[in-house]
Structure formats: structure tokens, C-alpha cells
CSV table of all heavy atoms in Angstrom, one decimal:
chain,number,residue,atom,x,y,z
B,213,GLN,N,49.7,-29.3,182.6
B,213,GLN,CA,49.6,-29.1,181.2
B,213,GLN,C,50.2,-30.3,180.4
B,213,GLN,O,49.7,-30.5,179.2
B,213,GLN,CB,50.3,-27.7,180.8
B,213,GLN,CG,49.6,-26.6,181.3
B,213,GLN,CD,48.1,-26.5,181.0
B,213,GLN,OE1,47.2,-26.6,181.9
B,213,GLN,NE2,47.7,-26.4,179.7
B,214,ALA,N,51.1,-31.0,181.0
B,214,ALA,CA,51.6,-32.2,180.3
B,214,ALA,C,50.4,-33.2,180.2
B,214,ALA,O,50.3,-33.9,179.2
B,214,ALA,CB,52.7,-32.8,181.1
B,215,VAL,N,49.6,-33.3,181.2
B,215,VAL,CA,48.4,-34.1,181.2
B,215,VAL,C,47.5,-33.6,180.0
B,215,VAL,O,46.9,-34.4,179.2
B,215,VAL,CB,47.7,-34.1,182.5
B,215,VAL,CG1,46.3,-35.0,182.4
B,215,VAL,CG2,48.6,-34.6,183.6
B,216,TRP,N,47.3,-32.3,179.9
B,216,TRP,CA,46.5,-31.7,178.8
B,216,TRP,C,47.0,-32.2,177.4
B,216,TRP,O,46.3,-32.5,176.5
B,216,TRP,CB,46.4,-30.2,179.0
B,216,TRP,CG,45.3,-29.5,178.2
B,216,TRP,CD1,44.1,-29.1,178.7
B,216,TRP,CD2,45.4,-29.2,176.8
B,216,TRP,NE1,43.4,-28.5,177.7
B,216,TRP,CE2,44.1,-28.5,176.5
B,216,TRP,CE3,46.3,-29.4,175.8
B,216,TRP,CZ2,43.8,-28.1,175.2
B,216,TRP,CZ3,46.0,-28.9,174.5
B,216,TRP,CH2,44.7,-28.3,174.2
B,217,MET,N,48.3,-32.0,177.3
B,217,MET,CA,48.9,-32.4,176.0
B,217,MET,C,48.8,-33.9,175.7
B,217,MET,O,48.5,-34.2,174.6
B,217,MET,CB,50.5,-32.0,176.1
B,217,MET,CG,50.7,-30.5,176.3
B,217,MET,SD,52.5,-30.2,176.7
B,217,MET,CE,53.3,-30.6,175.2
B,218,LEU,N,49.0,-34.7,176.6
B,218,LEU,CA,48.8,-36.1,176.5
B,218,LEU,C,47.3,-36.4,176.1
B,218,LEU,O,47.1,-37.2,175.1
B,218,LEU,CB,49.2,-36.9,177.7
B,218,LEU,CG,50.6,-37.0,178.0
B,218,LEU,CD1,50.8,-37.7,179.4
B,218,LEU,CD2,51.4,-37.8,176.9
B,219,ASP,N,46.4,-35.8,176.7
B,219,ASP,CA,45.0,-36.0,176.4
B,219,ASP,C,44.7,-35.5,175.0
B,219,ASP,O,43.9,-36.1,174.2
B,219,ASP,CB,44.1,-35.4,177.4
B,219,ASP,CG,42.6,-35.8,177.3
B,219,ASP,OD1,42.4,-37.0,177.7
B,219,ASP,OD2,41.8,-35.0,176.8
B,220,PHE,N,45.2,-34.4,174.6
B,220,PHE,CA,44.9,-33.8,173.3
B,220,PHE,C,45.4,-34.8,172.3
B,220,PHE,O,44.7,-35.1,171.3
B,220,PHE,CB,45.6,-32.5,173.2
B,220,PHE,CG,45.4,-31.8,171.8
B,220,PHE,CD1,44.2,-31.1,171.5
B,220,PHE,CD2,46.4,-31.9,170.9
B,220,PHE,CE1,44.1,-30.6,170.3
B,220,PHE,CE2,46.3,-31.5,169.6
B,220,PHE,CZ,45.1,-30.7,169.3
B,221,LEU,N,46.7,-35.2,172.4
B,221,LEU,CA,47.3,-36.2,171.4
B,221,LEU,C,46.5,-37.5,171.4
B,221,LEU,O,46.3,-38.0,170.3
B,221,LEU,CB,48.8,-36.3,171.8
B,221,LEU,CG,49.7,-35.1,171.6
B,221,LEU,CD1,51.1,-35.5,172.1
B,221,LEU,CD2,49.7,-34.6,170.1
B,222,GLY,N,46.2,-38.0,172.6
B,222,GLY,CA,45.4,-39.2,172.6
B,222,GLY,C,44.0,-39.0,172.0
B,222,GLY,O,43.6,-39.9,171.2
B,223,SER,N,43.4,-37.9,172.2
B,223,SER,CA,42.0,-37.7,171.6
B,223,SER,C,42.1,-37.5,170.2
B,223,SER,O,41.3,-38.0,169.4
B,223,SER,CB,41.4,-36.4,172.3
B,223,SER,OG,41.2,-36.6,173.6
B,224,TRP,N,43.2,-36.9,169.7
B,224,TRP,CA,43.5,-36.8,168.2
B,224,TRP,C,43.6,-38.1,167.5
B,224,TRP,O,43.2,-38.3,166.4
B,224,TRP,CB,44.7,-36.0,168.1
B,224,TRP,CG,45.0,-35.6,166.6
B,224,TRP,CD1,44.1,-35.3,165.6
B,224,TRP,CD2,46.3,-35.3,166.1
B,224,TRP,NE1,44.7,-34.9,164.5
B,224,TRP,CE2,46.1,-35.0,164.7
B,224,TRP,CE3,47.6,-35.4,166.6
B,224,TRP,CZ2,47.2,-34.7,163.8
B,224,TRP,CZ3,48.7,-35.1,165.7
B,224,TRP,CH2,48.5,-34.8,164.4
B,225,MET,N,44.2,-39.1,168.3
B,225,MET,CA,44.4,-40.4,167.7
B,225,MET,C,43.2,-41.4,168.1
B,225,MET,O,43.3,-42.6,167.8
B,225,MET,CB,45.7,-41.0,168.2
B,225,MET,CG,46.9,-40.3,167.7
B,225,MET,SD,48.4,-41.0,168.1
B,225,MET,CE,48.5,-40.7,170.0
B,226,GLY,N,42.2,-40.8,168.7
B,226,GLY,CA,41.0,-41.6,169.1
B,226,GLY,C,41.2,-42.4,170.4
B,226,GLY,O,40.4,-43.3,170.7
B,227,LEU,N,42.2,-42.1,171.2
B,227,LEU,CA,42.5,-42.7,172.5
B,227,LEU,C,42.7,-41.7,173.6
B,227,LEU,O,43.7,-41.4,174.0
B,227,LEU,CB,43.8,-43.6,172.3
B,227,LEU,CG,43.8,-44.6,171.3
B,227,LEU,CD1,45.2,-45.3,171.2
B,227,LEU,CD2,42.8,-45.8,171.7
B,228,PRO,N,41.5,-41.0,174.0
B,228,PRO,CA,41.6,-40.0,175.0
B,228,PRO,C,42.2,-40.5,176.3
B,228,PRO,O,41.9,-41.7,176.7
B,228,PRO,CB,40.2,-39.6,175.1
B,228,PRO,CG,39.3,-40.7,174.6
B,228,PRO,CD,40.2,-41.3,173.6
B,229,PHE,N,43.0,-39.7,177.0
B,229,PHE,CA,43.7,-40.0,178.2
B,229,PHE,C,42.8,-39.7,179.4
B,229,PHE,O,42.6,-40.6,180.3
B,229,PHE,CB,45.0,-39.3,178.3
B,229,PHE,CG,45.8,-39.6,179.5
B,229,PHE,CD1,46.2,-40.9,179.8
B,229,PHE,CD2,46.1,-38.6,180.4
B,229,PHE,CE1,46.9,-41.2,180.9
B,229,PHE,CE2,46.9,-38.8,181.6
B,229,PHE,CZ,47.3,-40.1,181.8
B,230,THR,N,42.2,-38.6,179.5
B,230,THR,CA,41.3,-38.2,180.5
B,230,THR,C,40.0,-37.6,180.0
B,230,THR,O,39.0,-37.6,180.8
B,230,THR,CB,41.9,-37.1,181.4
B,230,THR,OG1,42.1,-35.9,180.7
B,230,THR,CG2,43.3,-37.5,182.0
B,231,GLY,N,39.9,-37.2,178.8
B,231,GLY,CA,38.7,-36.6,178.2
B,231,GLY,C,38.6,-35.1,178.4
B,231,GLY,O,37.7,-34.4,178.0
B,232,MET,N,39.7,-34.5,179.1
B,232,MET,CA,39.6,-33.1,179.4
B,232,MET,C,39.7,-32.2,178.1
B,232,MET,O,39.4,-31.0,178.2
B,232,MET,CB,40.7,-32.7,180.4
B,232,MET,CG,42.1,-32.9,179.9
B,232,MET,SD,43.4,-32.8,181.2
B,232,MET,CE,43.0,-31.2,181.9
B,233,THR,N,40.2,-32.7,177.1
B,233,THR,CA,40.4,-31.9,175.9
B,233,THR,C,39.3,-32.2,174.8
B,233,THR,O,39.5,-31.9,173.6
B,233,THR,CB,41.8,-32.1,175.2
B,233,THR,OG1,41.9,-33.4,174.8
B,233,THR,CG2,42.8,-31.7,176.2
B,234,ALA,N,38.2,-32.9,175.2
B,234,ALA,CA,37.3,-33.3,174.2
B,234,ALA,C,36.7,-32.1,173.5
B,234,ALA,O,36.3,-32.2,172.3
B,234,ALA,CB,36.1,-34.1,174.9
B,235,TYR,N,36.6,-31.0,174.2
B,235,TYR,CA,36.0,-29.7,173.6
B,235,TYR,C,36.8,-29.3,172.4
B,235,TYR,O,36.2,-28.6,171.5
B,235,TYR,CB,35.9,-28.7,174.6
B,235,TYR,CG,37.3,-28.1,175.1
B,235,TYR,CD1,37.7,-26.9,174.5
B,235,TYR,CD2,38.0,-28.7,176.1
B,235,TYR,CE1,38.9,-26.3,174.9
B,235,TYR,CE2,39.2,-28.1,176.4
B,235,TYR,CZ,39.7,-27.0,175.8
B,235,TYR,OH,40.9,-26.5,176.2
B,236,MET,N,38.1,-29.6,172.4
B,236,MET,CA,38.9,-29.2,171.3
B,236,MET,C,38.6,-29.8,169.9
B,236,MET,O,39.0,-29.4,168.9
B,236,MET,CB,40.4,-29.4,171.6
B,236,MET,CG,41.0,-28.6,172.7
B,236,MET,SD,41.1,-26.9,172.3
B,236,MET,CE,42.4,-26.9,171.1
B,237,PHE,N,37.7,-30.9,170.0
B,237,PHE,CA,37.4,-31.6,168.8
B,237,PHE,C,35.8,-31.5,168.5
B,237,PHE,O,35.3,-32.2,167.7
B,237,PHE,CB,37.7,-33.0,168.9
B,237,PHE,CG,39.2,-33.2,169.1
B,237,PHE,CD1,39.8,-33.3,170.4
B,237,PHE,CD2,40.1,-33.3,168.0
B,237,PHE,CE1,41.1,-33.4,170.6
B,237,PHE,CE2,41.5,-33.4,168.3
B,237,PHE,CZ,42.0,-33.5,169.5
B,238,GLN,N,35.2,-30.6,169.2
B,238,GLN,CA,33.7,-30.3,169.0
B,238,GLN,C,33.5,-29.3,168.0
B,238,GLN,O,33.9,-28.1,168.1
B,238,GLN,CB,33.1,-29.9,170.3
B,238,GLN,CG,33.1,-31.0,171.4
B,238,GLN,CD,32.5,-30.5,172.7
B,238,GLN,OE1,32.2,-29.3,172.9
B,238,GLN,NE2,32.4,-31.4,173.7
B,239,ASP,N,32.8,-29.7,166.9
B,239,ASP,CA,32.5,-28.7,165.8
B,239,ASP,C,31.6,-27.6,166.2
B,239,ASP,O,31.6,-26.5,165.6
B,239,ASP,CB,31.9,-29.5,164.6
B,239,ASP,CG,32.9,-30.4,164.0
B,239,ASP,OD1,34.1,-30.2,164.1
B,239,ASP,OD2,32.4,-31.4,163.3
B,240,SER,N,30.9,-27.8,167.4
B,240,SER,CA,29.9,-26.8,167.8
B,240,SER,C,30.7,-25.6,168.4
B,240,SER,O,30.2,-24.5,168.5
B,240,SER,CB,29.0,-27.4,168.9
B,240,SER,OG,29.8,-27.9,170.0
B,241,LEU,N,31.9,-25.8,168.8
B,241,LEU,CA,32.8,-24.8,169.4
B,241,LEU,C,33.6,-24.1,168.2
B,241,LEU,O,34.1,-24.7,167.3
B,241,LEU,CB,33.8,-25.3,170.3
B,241,LEU,CG,34.5,-24.3,171.2
B,241,LEU,CD1,33.5,-23.7,172.2
B,241,LEU,CD2,35.6,-25.1,172.0
B,242,PRO,N,33.5,-22.7,168.1
B,242,PRO,CA,34.2,-22.0,166.9
B,242,PRO,C,35.6,-22.4,166.9
B,242,PRO,O,36.3,-22.6,167.8
B,242,PRO,CB,33.9,-20.6,167.3
B,242,PRO,CG,32.8,-20.5,168.2
B,242,PRO,CD,32.8,-21.8,169.0
B,243,LEU,N,36.1,-22.5,165.6
B,243,LEU,CA,37.5,-22.9,165.4
B,243,LEU,C,38.4,-21.9,166.0
B,243,LEU,O,39.5,-22.3,166.5
B,243,LEU,CB,37.7,-23.1,163.8
B,243,LEU,CG,39.1,-23.6,163.5
B,243,LEU,CD1,39.4,-24.9,164.0
B,243,LEU,CD2,39.2,-23.5,161.9
B,244,PHE,N,38.0,-20.6,166.0
B,244,PHE,CA,38.9,-19.6,166.5
B,244,PHE,C,39.1,-19.8,168.0
B,244,PHE,O,40.2,-19.6,168.6
B,244,PHE,CB,38.3,-18.2,166.2
B,244,PHE,CG,39.2,-17.0,166.6
B,244,PHE,CD1,40.4,-16.9,166.1
B,244,PHE,CD2,38.8,-16.2,167.7
B,244,PHE,CE1,41.2,-15.8,166.5
B,244,PHE,CE2,39.6,-15.2,168.1
B,244,PHE,CZ,40.9,-15.0,167.6
B,245,THR,N,38.0,-20.1,168.7
B,245,THR,CA,38.1,-20.4,170.1
B,245,THR,C,39.0,-21.5,170.4
B,245,THR,O,39.8,-21.4,171.3
B,245,THR,CB,36.6,-20.7,170.7
B,245,THR,OG1,35.8,-19.6,170.4
B,245,THR,CG2,36.7,-20.9,172.2
B,246,ARG,N,38.9,-22.6,169.6
B,246,ARG,CA,39.8,-23.7,169.8
B,246,ARG,C,41.3,-23.4,169.5
B,246,ARG,O,42.2,-23.9,170.1
B,246,ARG,CB,39.3,-24.9,168.9
B,246,ARG,CG,38.0,-25.6,169.5
B,246,ARG,CD,37.6,-26.7,168.7
B,246,ARG,NE,36.8,-26.2,167.5
B,246,ARG,CZ,36.7,-26.9,166.4
B,246,ARG,NH1,37.1,-28.2,166.3
B,246,ARG,NH2,35.9,-26.5,165.4
B,247,PHE,N,41.4,-22.5,168.5
B,247,PHE,CA,42.8,-22.0,168.2
B,247,PHE,C,43.4,-21.3,169.4
B,247,PHE,O,44.6,-21.6,169.7
B,247,PHE,CB,42.7,-21.2,166.9
B,247,PHE,CG,44.0,-20.3,166.8
B,247,PHE,CD1,45.2,-20.9,166.3
B,247,PHE,CD2,44.0,-18.9,167.1
B,247,PHE,CE1,46.3,-20.1,166.2
B,247,PHE,CE2,45.1,-18.2,167.0
B,247,PHE,CZ,46.3,-18.8,166.5
B,248,LEU,N,42.6,-20.4,170.0
B,248,LEU,CA,43.2,-19.7,171.1
B,248,LEU,C,43.4,-20.7,172.3
B,248,LEU,O,44.4,-20.6,173.0
B,248,LEU,CB,42.1,-18.6,171.6
B,248,LEU,CG,41.9,-17.5,170.7
B,248,LEU,CD1,40.9,-16.6,171.3
B,248,LEU,CD2,43.2,-16.7,170.5
B,249,SER,N,42.5,-21.6,172.5
B,249,SER,CA,42.8,-22.5,173.6
B,249,SER,C,43.9,-23.5,173.4
B,249,SER,O,44.4,-24.2,174.4
B,249,SER,CB,41.4,-23.4,173.8
B,249,SER,OG,41.6,-24.2,175.0
B,250,PHE,N,44.4,-23.6,172.2
B,250,PHE,CA,45.6,-24.4,172.0
B,250,PHE,C,46.9,-24.0,172.6
B,250,PHE,O,47.9,-24.7,172.7
B,250,PHE,CB,45.8,-24.5,170.4
B,250,PHE,CG,46.8,-25.6,170.0
B,250,PHE,CD1,46.5,-26.9,170.3
B,250,PHE,CD2,48.0,-25.3,169.5
B,250,PHE,CE1,47.4,-28.0,169.8
B,250,PHE,CE2,48.9,-26.3,169.1
B,250,PHE,CZ,48.6,-27.6,169.3
B,251,PHE,N,46.8,-22.8,173.2
B,251,PHE,CA,47.9,-22.3,174.1
B,251,PHE,C,48.2,-23.3,175.2
B,251,PHE,O,49.4,-23.3,175.7
B,251,PHE,CB,47.7,-20.9,174.6
B,251,PHE,CG,46.9,-20.8,175.8
B,251,PHE,CD1,47.6,-20.9,177.1
B,251,PHE,CD2,45.6,-20.5,175.9
B,251,PHE,CE1,46.9,-20.8,178.3
B,251,PHE,CE2,44.9,-20.4,177.1
B,251,PHE,CZ,45.5,-20.6,178.3
B,252,HIS,N,47.2,-24.0,175.6
B,252,HIS,CA,47.5,-25.0,176.7
B,252,HIS,C,48.6,-26.0,176.2
B,252,HIS,O,49.3,-26.6,177.1
B,252,HIS,CB,46.2,-25.8,177.0
B,252,HIS,CG,45.1,-25.0,177.7
B,252,HIS,ND1,44.2,-24.2,177.0
B,252,HIS,CD2,44.9,-24.7,179.0
B,252,HIS,CE1,43.4,-23.6,177.8
B,252,HIS,NE2,43.9,-23.8,179.0
């Protein structure tokens, strides 16, 4: 999950680490679903 956290922060800044959290920034995915997944 530390890898997930790094990738999320990197993707947020436009520098993805692995790309595993790209779905968290996809508008096609409901915001509520992404909110729940933020537990990672």
C-alpha cells in the first residue's frame, strides 16, 4: 500500500510511479467509487 500511496501522489502531480492508481483520476468512474477506494 505504500507503493499505492506513492503512485497516487505521483499521479496527482502528473508523475505516476507505476500507473496502478490511474483509475482514481478517471472521470468515467463515479466519484463515490473513487472515494471508497481511497481507503487504500
Side-chain angles (χ1 to χ4, degrees):
Q213 295 306 111
V215 177
W216 196 98
M217 296 168 72
L218 287 174
D219 189 74
F220 178 84
L221 294 174
S223 298
W224 186 32
M225 295 182 290
L227 299 170
F229 182 59
T230 66
M232 65 191 305
T233 63
Y235 70 95
M236 291 291 289
F237 302 92
Q238 292 176 357
D239 294 335
S240 58
L241 195 66
L243 182 61
F244 183 68
T245 301
R246 287 180 279 165
F247 164 76
L248 291 178
S249 190
F250 192 66
F251 85 85
H252 293 88

